[in-house]
Short mmCIF file of all heavy atoms in Angstrom, two decimals:
data_model
loop_
_atom_site.label_atom_id
_atom_site.label_comp_id
_atom_site.label_asym_id
_atom_site.label_seq_id
_atom_site.Cartn_x
_atom_site.Cartn_y
_atom_site.Cartn_z
N MET Y 200 -0.31 -6.77 21.11
CA MET Y 200 -0.37 -5.45 20.41
C MET Y 200 0.96 -5.08 19.80
O MET Y 200 1.98 -5.22 20.46
CB MET Y 200 -0.84 -4.35 21.39
CG MET Y 200 -2.31 -4.34 21.62
SD MET Y 200 -3.20 -3.89 20.13
CE MET Y 200 -4.90 -4.03 20.68
N SER Y 201 0.90 -4.58 18.61
CA SER Y 201 2.13 -4.17 17.94
C SER Y 201 2.39 -2.72 18.25
O SER Y 201 1.77 -1.81 17.73
CB SER Y 201 2.00 -4.41 16.47
OG SER Y 201 3.09 -3.80 15.79
N SER Y 202 3.38 -2.49 19.08
CA SER Y 202 3.74 -1.13 19.39
C SER Y 202 4.37 -0.43 18.18
O SER Y 202 4.39 0.79 18.07
CB SER Y 202 4.68 -1.07 20.57
OG SER Y 202 5.81 -1.86 20.31
N PHE Y 203 4.88 -1.23 17.30
CA PHE Y 203 5.54 -0.71 16.12
C PHE Y 203 4.53 0.04 15.23
O PHE Y 203 4.77 1.13 14.77
CB PHE Y 203 6.16 -1.88 15.34
CG PHE Y 203 7.01 -1.41 14.18
CD1 PHE Y 203 8.30 -0.98 14.38
CD2 PHE Y 203 6.49 -1.50 12.87
CE1 PHE Y 203 9.13 -0.59 13.30
CE2 PHE Y 203 7.29 -1.08 11.81
CZ PHE Y 203 8.57 -0.63 12.03
N LEU Y 204 3.37 -0.56 15.01
CA LEU Y 204 2.35 0.05 14.20
C LEU Y 204 1.53 1.08 14.96
O LEU Y 204 1.09 2.06 14.40
CB LEU Y 204 1.40 -0.98 13.60
CG LEU Y 204 2.02 -1.88 12.46
CD1 LEU Y 204 1.04 -2.90 12.04
CD2 LEU Y 204 2.35 -0.99 11.25
N ALA Y 205 1.36 0.84 16.26
CA ALA Y 205 0.57 1.75 17.07
C ALA Y 205 1.28 3.07 17.22
O ALA Y 205 0.68 4.06 17.58
CB ALA Y 205 0.32 1.12 18.44
N HIS Y 206 2.52 3.06 16.88
CA HIS Y 206 3.34 4.29 16.98
C HIS Y 206 2.94 5.34 15.90
O HIS Y 206 3.16 6.51 16.11
CB HIS Y 206 4.84 3.90 16.77
CG HIS Y 206 5.78 4.92 17.28
ND1 HIS Y 206 6.47 5.72 16.50
CD2 HIS Y 206 6.13 5.19 18.58
CE1 HIS Y 206 7.25 6.49 17.29
NE2 HIS Y 206 7.02 6.20 18.54
N ASN Y 207 2.30 4.87 14.86
CA ASN Y 207 1.92 5.74 13.79
C ASN Y 207 0.61 6.42 14.04
O ASN Y 207 -0.44 5.81 13.95
CB ASN Y 207 1.88 4.89 12.49
CG ASN Y 207 1.66 5.78 11.27
OD1 ASN Y 207 1.58 7.01 11.36
ND2 ASN Y 207 1.58 5.14 10.14
N HIS Y 208 0.63 7.70 14.37
CA HIS Y 208 -0.59 8.41 14.68
C HIS Y 208 -1.07 9.30 13.54
O HIS Y 208 -2.13 9.89 13.63
CB HIS Y 208 -0.39 9.28 15.96
CG HIS Y 208 -0.22 8.47 17.18
ND1 HIS Y 208 -1.24 7.74 17.73
CD2 HIS Y 208 0.86 8.24 17.91
CE1 HIS Y 208 -0.77 7.11 18.81
NE2 HIS Y 208 0.48 7.39 18.93
N TYR Y 209 -0.21 9.47 12.57
CA TYR Y 209 -0.54 10.39 11.48
C TYR Y 209 -1.26 9.70 10.36
O TYR Y 209 -0.93 8.56 10.04
CB TYR Y 209 0.74 11.06 11.00
CG TYR Y 209 1.48 11.74 12.09
CD1 TYR Y 209 2.56 11.20 12.74
CD2 TYR Y 209 1.04 13.00 12.57
CE1 TYR Y 209 3.26 11.83 13.73
CE2 TYR Y 209 1.71 13.70 13.56
CZ TYR Y 209 2.84 13.06 14.16
OH TYR Y 209 3.51 13.68 15.16
N GLU Y 210 -2.16 10.46 9.73
CA GLU Y 210 -2.82 9.89 8.57
C GLU Y 210 -1.90 10.13 7.35
O GLU Y 210 -1.32 11.19 7.20
CB GLU Y 210 -4.15 10.60 8.36
CG GLU Y 210 -5.15 10.25 9.43
CD GLU Y 210 -6.59 10.43 9.01
OE1 GLU Y 210 -6.78 11.32 8.09
OE2 GLU Y 210 -7.44 9.72 9.44
N GLU Y 211 -1.81 9.11 6.56
CA GLU Y 211 -1.04 9.21 5.35
C GLU Y 211 -1.85 8.81 4.14
O GLU Y 211 -2.84 8.05 4.26
CB GLU Y 211 0.21 8.34 5.49
CG GLU Y 211 1.17 8.84 6.49
CD GLU Y 211 2.44 8.01 6.50
OE1 GLU Y 211 3.16 8.00 5.52
OE2 GLU Y 211 2.64 7.31 7.55
N THR Y 212 -1.43 9.27 2.98
CA THR Y 212 -2.13 8.88 1.77
C THR Y 212 -1.71 7.48 1.29
O THR Y 212 -0.50 7.22 1.04
CB THR Y 212 -1.85 9.93 0.65
OG1 THR Y 212 -2.08 11.21 1.19
CG2 THR Y 212 -2.73 9.66 -0.55
N CYS Y 213 -2.70 6.65 1.23
CA CYS Y 213 -2.46 5.28 0.77
C CYS Y 213 -2.19 5.32 -0.75
O CYS Y 213 -2.93 5.94 -1.47
CB CYS Y 213 -3.68 4.43 1.09
SG CYS Y 213 -3.67 2.85 0.33
N VAL Y 214 -1.19 4.61 -1.15
CA VAL Y 214 -0.79 4.64 -2.58
C VAL Y 214 -1.83 3.83 -3.45
O VAL Y 214 -1.91 4.06 -4.63
CB VAL Y 214 0.66 4.13 -2.72
CG1 VAL Y 214 0.74 2.59 -2.65
CG2 VAL Y 214 1.28 4.64 -4.00
N ILE Y 215 -2.56 2.94 -2.82
CA ILE Y 215 -3.56 2.16 -3.59
C ILE Y 215 -4.87 2.86 -3.70
O ILE Y 215 -5.36 3.13 -4.81
CB ILE Y 215 -3.73 0.74 -2.95
CG1 ILE Y 215 -2.35 0.12 -2.72
CG2 ILE Y 215 -4.68 -0.13 -3.77
CD1 ILE Y 215 -2.00 -1.09 -3.49
N CYS Y 216 -5.53 3.12 -2.57
CA CYS Y 216 -6.87 3.73 -2.66
C CYS Y 216 -6.79 5.30 -2.68
O CYS Y 216 -7.77 5.94 -2.92
CB CYS Y 216 -7.72 3.28 -1.50
SG CYS Y 216 -7.13 3.76 0.11
N GLU Y 217 -5.63 5.78 -2.48
CA GLU Y 217 -5.38 7.25 -2.54
C GLU Y 217 -6.19 8.07 -1.55
O GLU Y 217 -6.50 9.22 -1.75
CB GLU Y 217 -5.55 7.77 -3.96
CG GLU Y 217 -4.52 7.14 -4.88
CD GLU Y 217 -4.73 7.46 -6.38
OE1 GLU Y 217 -5.82 7.91 -6.75
OE2 GLU Y 217 -3.76 7.28 -7.14
N ASN Y 218 -6.52 7.44 -0.48
CA ASN Y 218 -7.23 8.07 0.64
C ASN Y 218 -6.30 8.25 1.85
O ASN Y 218 -5.32 7.52 2.02
CB ASN Y 218 -8.44 7.30 1.06
CG ASN Y 218 -9.56 7.25 0.02
OD1 ASN Y 218 -9.85 8.30 -0.58
ND2 ASN Y 218 -10.12 6.10 -0.24
N LEU Y 219 -6.66 9.19 2.69
CA LEU Y 219 -5.87 9.39 3.91
C LEU Y 219 -6.31 8.35 4.97
O LEU Y 219 -7.48 8.26 5.28
CB LEU Y 219 -6.14 10.79 4.49
CG LEU Y 219 -5.30 11.91 3.84
CD1 LEU Y 219 -5.77 13.24 4.42
CD2 LEU Y 219 -3.80 11.77 4.21
N LYS Y 220 -5.35 7.57 5.40
CA LYS Y 220 -5.66 6.51 6.35
C LYS Y 220 -4.68 6.55 7.51
O LYS Y 220 -3.52 6.83 7.36
CB LYS Y 220 -5.57 5.13 5.68
CG LYS Y 220 -6.63 4.92 4.58
CD LYS Y 220 -8.01 4.77 5.17
CE LYS Y 220 -9.07 4.73 4.10
NZ LYS Y 220 -9.27 3.47 3.44
N PRO Y 221 -5.17 6.30 8.71
CA PRO Y 221 -4.30 6.41 9.89
C PRO Y 221 -3.47 5.10 10.10
O PRO Y 221 -2.42 5.21 10.75
CB PRO Y 221 -5.29 6.56 11.06
CG PRO Y 221 -6.54 5.93 10.58
CD PRO Y 221 -6.59 6.06 9.10
N LYS Y 222 -3.94 3.98 9.57
CA LYS Y 222 -3.24 2.75 9.84
C LYS Y 222 -2.74 2.08 8.54
O LYS Y 222 -3.51 2.04 7.57
CB LYS Y 222 -4.11 1.75 10.57
CG LYS Y 222 -4.14 1.95 12.06
CD LYS Y 222 -4.97 0.85 12.61
CE LYS Y 222 -4.97 0.76 14.10
NZ LYS Y 222 -5.77 -0.40 14.57
N GLY Y 223 -1.56 1.53 8.62
CA GLY Y 223 -1.08 0.88 7.41
C GLY Y 223 0.39 0.57 7.51
O GLY Y 223 1.01 0.62 8.60
N ILE Y 224 0.94 0.08 6.43
CA ILE Y 224 2.38 -0.25 6.41
C ILE Y 224 3.15 0.61 5.41
O ILE Y 224 2.55 1.21 4.55
CB ILE Y 224 2.56 -1.75 6.01
CG1 ILE Y 224 1.91 -2.03 4.63
CG2 ILE Y 224 2.05 -2.67 7.07
CD1 ILE Y 224 2.52 -3.23 3.90
N HIS Y 225 4.42 0.69 5.66
CA HIS Y 225 5.26 1.47 4.76
C HIS Y 225 6.06 0.50 3.86
O HIS Y 225 6.60 -0.48 4.33
CB HIS Y 225 6.22 2.32 5.57
CG HIS Y 225 5.57 3.50 6.16
ND1 HIS Y 225 5.16 3.54 7.44
CD2 HIS Y 225 5.10 4.68 5.59
CE1 HIS Y 225 4.57 4.73 7.66
NE2 HIS Y 225 4.52 5.42 6.57
N LEU Y 226 5.99 0.83 2.63
CA LEU Y 226 6.75 0.06 1.59
C LEU Y 226 7.59 1.03 0.86
O LEU Y 226 7.11 1.91 0.16
CB LEU Y 226 5.70 -0.63 0.68
CG LEU Y 226 6.20 -1.80 -0.13
CD1 LEU Y 226 6.70 -2.94 0.74
CD2 LEU Y 226 5.12 -2.28 -1.06
N TYR Y 227 8.90 0.87 1.07
CA TYR Y 227 9.83 1.85 0.57
C TYR Y 227 9.46 3.22 1.08
O TYR Y 227 9.34 3.37 2.31
CB TYR Y 227 9.91 1.85 -0.97
CG TYR Y 227 10.22 0.48 -1.51
CD1 TYR Y 227 9.25 -0.38 -1.96
CD2 TYR Y 227 11.56 0.03 -1.51
CE1 TYR Y 227 9.59 -1.64 -2.45
CE2 TYR Y 227 11.87 -1.23 -1.98
CZ TYR Y 227 10.88 -2.08 -2.46
OH TYR Y 227 11.20 -3.32 -2.91
N THR Y 228 9.16 4.20 0.24
CA THR Y 228 8.77 5.51 0.71
C THR Y 228 7.30 5.74 0.72
O THR Y 228 6.79 6.76 1.03
CB THR Y 228 9.46 6.61 -0.15
OG1 THR Y 228 9.10 6.36 -1.49
CG2 THR Y 228 10.96 6.58 -0.04
N SER Y 229 6.55 4.67 0.32
CA SER Y 229 5.14 4.79 0.20
C SER Y 229 4.37 4.12 1.32
O SER Y 229 4.95 3.40 2.12
CB SER Y 229 4.68 4.16 -1.13
OG SER Y 229 5.26 4.87 -2.17
N PHE Y 230 3.06 4.44 1.36
CA PHE Y 230 2.22 3.96 2.42
C PHE Y 230 1.08 3.17 1.84
O PHE Y 230 0.40 3.58 0.89
CB PHE Y 230 1.70 5.17 3.23
CG PHE Y 230 0.70 4.86 4.30
CD1 PHE Y 230 1.11 4.33 5.53
CD2 PHE Y 230 -0.64 5.13 4.06
CE1 PHE Y 230 0.11 4.09 6.49
CE2 PHE Y 230 -1.57 4.87 5.03
CZ PHE Y 230 -1.21 4.34 6.24
N ILE Y 231 0.81 1.99 2.47
CA ILE Y 231 -0.40 1.20 2.06
C ILE Y 231 -1.21 0.98 3.29
O ILE Y 231 -0.75 0.53 4.33
CB ILE Y 231 0.02 -0.16 1.51
CG1 ILE Y 231 0.92 0.03 0.21
CG2 ILE Y 231 -1.17 -1.01 1.24
CD1 ILE Y 231 1.46 -1.29 -0.33
N CYS Y 232 -2.52 1.39 3.22
CA CYS Y 232 -3.38 1.27 4.37
C CYS Y 232 -3.72 -0.20 4.67
O CYS Y 232 -3.61 -1.06 3.81
CB CYS Y 232 -4.63 2.10 4.23
SG CYS Y 232 -5.85 1.42 3.03
N THR Y 233 -4.11 -0.46 5.90
CA THR Y 233 -4.37 -1.81 6.37
C THR Y 233 -5.43 -2.50 5.47
O THR Y 233 -5.32 -3.66 5.14
CB THR Y 233 -4.84 -1.78 7.83
OG1 THR Y 233 -3.94 -0.99 8.60
CG2 THR Y 233 -4.89 -3.15 8.46
N GLU Y 234 -6.44 -1.71 5.09
CA GLU Y 234 -7.54 -2.29 4.28
C GLU Y 234 -7.00 -2.76 2.92
O GLU Y 234 -7.33 -3.84 2.48
CB GLU Y 234 -8.62 -1.24 4.07
CG GLU Y 234 -9.42 -0.98 5.30
CD GLU Y 234 -9.94 0.45 5.39
OE1 GLU Y 234 -10.62 0.86 4.44
OE2 GLU Y 234 -9.61 1.16 6.37
N CYS Y 235 -6.22 -1.93 2.27
CA CYS Y 235 -5.65 -2.27 0.98
C CYS Y 235 -4.67 -3.42 1.10
O CYS Y 235 -4.63 -4.28 0.22
CB CYS Y 235 -4.98 -1.09 0.33
SG CYS Y 235 -6.18 0.13 -0.23
N GLU Y 236 -3.97 -3.44 2.18
CA GLU Y 236 -2.97 -4.51 2.41
C GLU Y 236 -3.70 -5.83 2.47
O GLU Y 236 -3.33 -6.82 1.82
CB GLU Y 236 -2.22 -4.22 3.70
CG GLU Y 236 -1.09 -5.19 3.97
CD GLU Y 236 -0.63 -5.25 5.40
OE1 GLU Y 236 -1.11 -4.48 6.23
OE2 GLU Y 236 0.16 -6.14 5.70
N ASN Y 237 -4.80 -5.88 3.25
CA ASN Y 237 -5.58 -7.08 3.39
C ASN Y 237 -6.23 -7.48 2.07
O ASN Y 237 -6.32 -8.65 1.70
CB ASN Y 237 -6.67 -6.93 4.50
CG ASN Y 237 -6.04 -6.85 5.87
OD1 ASN Y 237 -4.95 -7.39 6.11
ND2 ASN Y 237 -6.71 -6.19 6.76
N ASP Y 238 -6.71 -6.47 1.38
CA ASP Y 238 -7.38 -6.67 0.12
C ASP Y 238 -6.41 -7.28 -0.87
O ASP Y 238 -6.74 -8.23 -1.61
CB ASP Y 238 -7.82 -5.28 -0.42
CG ASP Y 238 -9.25 -5.33 -0.93
OD1 ASP Y 238 -9.91 -6.34 -0.74
OD2 ASP Y 238 -9.68 -4.34 -1.58
N LEU Y 239 -5.25 -6.74 -0.88
CA LEU Y 239 -4.17 -7.19 -1.77
C LEU Y 239 -3.81 -8.68 -1.51
O LEU Y 239 -3.68 -9.46 -2.46
CB LEU Y 239 -2.93 -6.31 -1.60
CG LEU Y 239 -1.77 -6.50 -2.52
CD1 LEU Y 239 -2.09 -6.13 -3.93
CD2 LEU Y 239 -0.65 -5.64 -2.05
N ILE Y 240 -3.72 -9.00 -0.24
CA ILE Y 240 -3.34 -10.34 0.15
C ILE Y 240 -4.49 -11.33 -0.31
O ILE Y 240 -4.20 -12.44 -0.76
CB ILE Y 240 -3.13 -10.39 1.66
CG1 ILE Y 240 -1.85 -9.68 2.02
CG2 ILE Y 240 -3.04 -11.86 2.16
CD1 ILE Y 240 -1.73 -9.29 3.51
N GLN Y 241 -5.71 -10.89 -0.13
CA GLN Y 241 -6.83 -11.79 -0.42
C GLN Y 241 -7.27 -11.83 -1.89
O GLN Y 241 -8.05 -12.66 -2.32
CB GLN Y 241 -8.08 -11.35 0.39
CG GLN Y 241 -7.91 -11.75 1.86
CD GLN Y 241 -8.82 -11.00 2.80
OE1 GLN Y 241 -9.88 -10.52 2.36
NE2 GLN Y 241 -8.47 -10.80 4.01
N THR Y 242 -6.73 -10.93 -2.68
CA THR Y 242 -7.11 -10.87 -4.09
C THR Y 242 -6.30 -11.87 -4.89
O THR Y 242 -5.09 -11.89 -4.85
CB THR Y 242 -6.94 -9.44 -4.70
OG1 THR Y 242 -7.71 -8.53 -3.91
CG2 THR Y 242 -7.40 -9.38 -6.13
N ASP Y 243 -7.02 -12.71 -5.62
CA ASP Y 243 -6.38 -13.72 -6.43
C ASP Y 243 -5.70 -13.03 -7.65
O ASP Y 243 -6.20 -12.03 -8.18
CB ASP Y 243 -7.44 -14.66 -6.95
CG ASP Y 243 -6.83 -15.94 -7.48
OD1 ASP Y 243 -6.63 -16.89 -6.71
OD2 ASP Y 243 -6.54 -15.99 -8.68
N THR Y 244 -4.62 -13.59 -8.07
CA THR Y 244 -3.87 -12.99 -9.21
C THR Y 244 -4.71 -13.07 -10.50
O THR Y 244 -4.44 -12.30 -11.43
CB THR Y 244 -2.53 -13.71 -9.44
OG1 THR Y 244 -2.77 -15.12 -9.44
CG2 THR Y 244 -1.54 -13.38 -8.32
N ASN Y 245 -5.73 -13.85 -10.52
CA ASN Y 245 -6.61 -13.92 -11.69
C ASN Y 245 -7.68 -12.85 -11.68
O ASN Y 245 -8.34 -12.64 -12.70
CB ASN Y 245 -7.29 -15.29 -11.81
CG ASN Y 245 -6.27 -16.43 -12.04
OD1 ASN Y 245 -5.29 -16.24 -12.78
ND2 ASN Y 245 -6.51 -17.53 -11.41
N ASN Y 246 -7.88 -12.28 -10.53
CA ASN Y 246 -8.86 -11.24 -10.37
C ASN Y 246 -8.42 -9.92 -11.09
O ASN Y 246 -7.31 -9.53 -10.93
CB ASN Y 246 -9.00 -10.99 -8.86
CG ASN Y 246 -10.27 -10.16 -8.52
OD1 ASN Y 246 -10.61 -9.24 -9.22
ND2 ASN Y 246 -10.87 -10.49 -7.43
N PRO Y 247 -9.34 -9.34 -11.88
CA PRO Y 247 -8.99 -8.10 -12.57
C PRO Y 247 -8.52 -6.99 -11.63
O PRO Y 247 -7.77 -6.11 -12.00
CB PRO Y 247 -10.27 -7.70 -13.25
CG PRO Y 247 -11.10 -8.90 -13.32
CD PRO Y 247 -10.71 -9.76 -12.14
N LYS Y 248 -9.03 -7.10 -10.42
CA LYS Y 248 -8.66 -6.08 -9.35
C LYS Y 248 -7.16 -6.14 -9.07
O LYS Y 248 -6.57 -5.11 -8.70
CB LYS Y 248 -9.45 -6.52 -8.09
CG LYS Y 248 -9.77 -5.34 -7.19
CD LYS Y 248 -10.63 -5.87 -6.07
CE LYS Y 248 -10.72 -4.94 -4.91
NZ LYS Y 248 -11.41 -5.55 -3.75
N TYR Y 249 -6.60 -7.29 -9.24
CA TYR Y 249 -5.19 -7.53 -8.97
C TYR Y 249 -4.37 -6.62 -9.90
O TYR Y 249 -3.29 -6.09 -9.51
CB TYR Y 249 -4.82 -8.97 -9.12
CG TYR Y 249 -3.47 -9.33 -8.55
CD1 TYR Y 249 -3.30 -9.49 -7.21
CD2 TYR Y 249 -2.35 -9.48 -9.42
CE1 TYR Y 249 -2.08 -9.81 -6.65
CE2 TYR Y 249 -1.12 -9.79 -8.87
CZ TYR Y 249 -1.00 -9.98 -7.48
OH TYR Y 249 0.28 -10.27 -6.97
N LYS Y 250 -4.79 -6.46 -11.11
CA LYS Y 250 -4.11 -5.61 -12.06
C LYS Y 250 -4.10 -4.14 -11.64
O LYS Y 250 -3.14 -3.46 -11.85
CB LYS Y 250 -4.75 -5.74 -13.48
CG LYS Y 250 -4.33 -7.02 -14.20
CD LYS Y 250 -4.81 -6.99 -15.60
CE LYS Y 250 -4.37 -8.30 -16.32
NZ LYS Y 250 -4.98 -8.44 -17.70
N TYR Y 251 -5.19 -3.79 -11.04
CA TYR Y 251 -5.30 -2.44 -10.53
C TYR Y 251 -4.27 -2.23 -9.38
O TYR Y 251 -3.56 -1.25 -9.32
CB TYR Y 251 -6.72 -2.13 -10.02
CG TYR Y 251 -6.85 -0.92 -9.22
CD1 TYR Y 251 -6.87 0.36 -9.88
CD2 TYR Y 251 -7.01 -0.95 -7.81
CE1 TYR Y 251 -6.96 1.49 -9.12
CE2 TYR Y 251 -7.11 0.25 -7.08
CZ TYR Y 251 -7.09 1.43 -7.74
OH TYR Y 251 -7.22 2.62 -7.00
N PHE Y 252 -4.19 -3.22 -8.53
CA PHE Y 252 -3.19 -3.15 -7.47
C PHE Y 252 -1.77 -3.05 -7.99
O PHE Y 252 -1.00 -2.24 -7.53
CB PHE Y 252 -3.29 -4.40 -6.56
CG PHE Y 252 -4.50 -4.39 -5.64
CD1 PHE Y 252 -5.29 -5.49 -5.55
CD2 PHE Y 252 -4.83 -3.29 -4.92
CE1 PHE Y 252 -6.38 -5.53 -4.71
CE2 PHE Y 252 -5.93 -3.30 -4.06
CZ PHE Y 252 -6.69 -4.42 -3.95
N LEU Y 253 -1.52 -3.87 -8.99
CA LEU Y 253 -0.17 -3.83 -9.57
C LEU Y 253 0.17 -2.51 -10.20
O LEU Y 253 1.26 -1.97 -10.09
CB LEU Y 253 -0.04 -4.92 -10.64
CG LEU Y 253 0.06 -6.36 -10.14
CD1 LEU Y 253 0.23 -7.34 -11.32
CD2 LEU Y 253 1.25 -6.53 -9.19
N LYS Y 254 -0.87 -1.91 -10.85
CA LYS Y 254 -0.70 -0.61 -11.44
C LYS Y 254 -0.35 0.45 -10.39
O LYS Y 254 0.56 1.25 -10.57
CB LYS Y 254 -2.03 -0.24 -12.19
CG LYS Y 254 -1.92 1.04 -12.99
CD LYS Y 254 -3.26 1.21 -13.72
CE LYS Y 254 -3.54 2.69 -14.03
NZ LYS Y 254 -4.29 3.41 -12.97
N GLN Y 255 -1.13 0.38 -9.31
CA GLN Y 255 -0.83 1.33 -8.20
C GLN Y 255 0.54 1.06 -7.56
O GLN Y 255 1.23 2.01 -7.21
CB GLN Y 255 -1.95 1.22 -7.18
CG GLN Y 255 -3.36 1.56 -7.64
CD GLN Y 255 -3.44 3.02 -8.15
OE1 GLN Y 255 -3.13 3.34 -9.24
NE2 GLN Y 255 -3.84 3.91 -7.25
N LEU Y 256 0.91 -0.20 -7.45
CA LEU Y 256 2.15 -0.57 -6.81
C LEU Y 256 3.34 -0.15 -7.64
O LEU Y 256 4.41 0.01 -7.13
CB LEU Y 256 2.17 -2.06 -6.51
CG LEU Y 256 1.32 -2.51 -5.33
CD1 LEU Y 256 1.23 -4.07 -5.29
CD2 LEU Y 256 1.86 -2.01 -4.00
N LYS Y 257 3.14 -0.05 -8.90
CA LYS Y 257 4.25 0.36 -9.81
C LYS Y 257 4.77 1.70 -9.46
O LYS Y 257 5.95 2.02 -9.69
CB LYS Y 257 3.82 0.34 -11.27
CG LYS Y 257 4.00 -0.99 -11.95
CD LYS Y 257 3.70 -0.85 -13.40
CE LYS Y 257 3.72 -2.27 -14.05
NZ LYS Y 257 3.26 -2.20 -15.45
N LYS Y 258 3.90 2.50 -8.87
CA LYS Y 258 4.28 3.87 -8.42
C LYS Y 258 5.35 3.75 -7.28
O LYS Y 258 6.15 4.65 -7.09
CB LYS Y 258 3.09 4.66 -7.98
CG LYS Y 258 2.13 4.92 -9.08
CD LYS Y 258 1.11 5.98 -8.70
CE LYS Y 258 -0.03 5.35 -7.94
NZ LYS Y 258 -1.15 6.32 -7.64
N ILE Y 259 5.23 2.69 -6.53
CA ILE Y 259 6.15 2.54 -5.39
C ILE Y 259 7.47 2.03 -5.82
O ILE Y 259 8.51 2.59 -5.46
CB ILE Y 259 5.57 1.52 -4.35
CG1 ILE Y 259 4.17 1.89 -3.93
CG2 ILE Y 259 6.49 1.34 -3.22
CD1 ILE Y 259 3.53 0.84 -3.09
N THR Y 260 7.50 1.01 -6.62
CA THR Y 260 8.70 0.36 -6.99
C THR Y 260 9.38 1.02 -8.20
O THR Y 260 9.50 0.52 -9.26
CB THR Y 260 8.47 -1.16 -7.34
OG1 THR Y 260 7.41 -1.23 -8.33
CG2 THR Y 260 8.07 -1.94 -6.05
N THR Y 261 9.78 2.29 -7.94
CA THR Y 261 10.52 3.02 -8.94
C THR Y 261 12.04 2.71 -8.71
O THR Y 261 12.60 3.21 -7.77
CB THR Y 261 10.28 4.53 -8.83
OG1 THR Y 261 8.86 4.75 -8.81
CG2 THR Y 261 10.82 5.28 -10.02
N PRO Y 262 12.57 1.87 -9.52
CA PRO Y 262 13.95 1.47 -9.26
C PRO Y 262 14.93 2.60 -9.47
O PRO Y 262 14.75 3.42 -10.35
CB PRO Y 262 14.20 0.37 -10.26
CG PRO Y 262 12.89 0.13 -10.98
CD PRO Y 262 12.01 1.35 -10.74
N GLU Y 263 15.92 2.62 -8.64
CA GLU Y 263 16.89 3.73 -8.73
C GLU Y 263 17.89 3.49 -9.82
O GLU Y 263 18.77 4.33 -10.02
CB GLU Y 263 17.56 3.90 -7.32
CG GLU Y 263 16.66 4.53 -6.35
CD GLU Y 263 17.29 4.68 -4.97
OE1 GLU Y 263 18.56 4.78 -4.90
OE2 GLU Y 263 16.56 4.68 -4.00
N ILE Y 264 17.78 2.34 -10.45
CA ILE Y 264 18.73 2.03 -11.56
C ILE Y 264 18.63 3.03 -12.69
O ILE Y 264 19.51 3.25 -13.44
CB ILE Y 264 18.46 0.62 -12.17
CG1 ILE Y 264 17.66 -0.26 -11.25
CG2 ILE Y 264 19.76 -0.04 -12.54
CD1 ILE Y 264 16.99 -1.42 -11.94
N PHE Y 265 17.40 3.60 -12.80
CA PHE Y 265 17.13 4.56 -13.89
C PHE Y 265 17.71 5.94 -13.69
O PHE Y 265 17.79 6.72 -14.61
CB PHE Y 265 15.62 4.67 -14.18
CG PHE Y 265 15.01 3.41 -14.73
CD1 PHE Y 265 14.06 2.79 -14.01
CD2 PHE Y 265 15.46 2.87 -15.93
CE1 PHE Y 265 13.43 1.61 -14.51
CE2 PHE Y 265 14.93 1.73 -16.44
CZ PHE Y 265 13.88 1.08 -15.75
N SER Y 266 18.11 6.23 -12.51
CA SER Y 266 18.64 7.53 -12.21
C SER Y 266 20.10 7.72 -12.65
O SER Y 266 20.80 6.79 -12.81
CB SER Y 266 18.43 7.89 -10.72
OG SER Y 266 19.24 7.01 -9.91
ZN1 LIG V 471 -5.71 2.03 0.87
#
């Protein structure tokens, strides 16, 4: 059991599906739920769905170089 992830008891808004989810990972300042994480891993880069993921992920990777 991962005590690291089990530590998270609060629901957060997933940056991909935009729903409140209790479990997931943090990427930079954003949150990705476990379902989307798995989905992302299993989605082939040729799949149109992948483009949707990339679009959503762009919101996360806002580089600080622009500031
Ligand atoms: Zn999600």
Side-chain angles (χ1 to χ4, degrees):
M200 278 297 178
S201 171
S202 56
F203 188 79
L204 286 175
H206 201 255
N207 186 2
H208 292 290
Y209 304 100
E210 292 202 331
E211 289 185 67
T212 309
C213 168
V214 78
I215 309 247
C216 64
E217 297 172 343
N218 291 317
L219 278 172
K220 295 291 171 81
K222 276 184 172 182
I224 56 157
H225 285 101
L226 197 62
Y227 303 99
T228 53
S229 299
F230 174 78
I231 298 174
C232 73
T233 311
E234 288 149 57
C235 289
E236 187 201 352
N237 290 334
D238 225 11
L239 186 65
I240 291 164
Q241 284 162 27
T242 304
D243 196 90
T244 48
N245 295 322
N246 193 322
K248 209 174 163 187
Y249 194 79
K250 282 188 179 173
Y251 169 75
F252 285 133
L253 286 182
K254 186 176 155 270
Q255 297 298 86
L256 285 170
K257 271 187 186 171
K258 294 192 278 185
I259 304 174
T260 52
T261 311
E263 286 178 27
I264 340 161
F265 291 120
S266 62

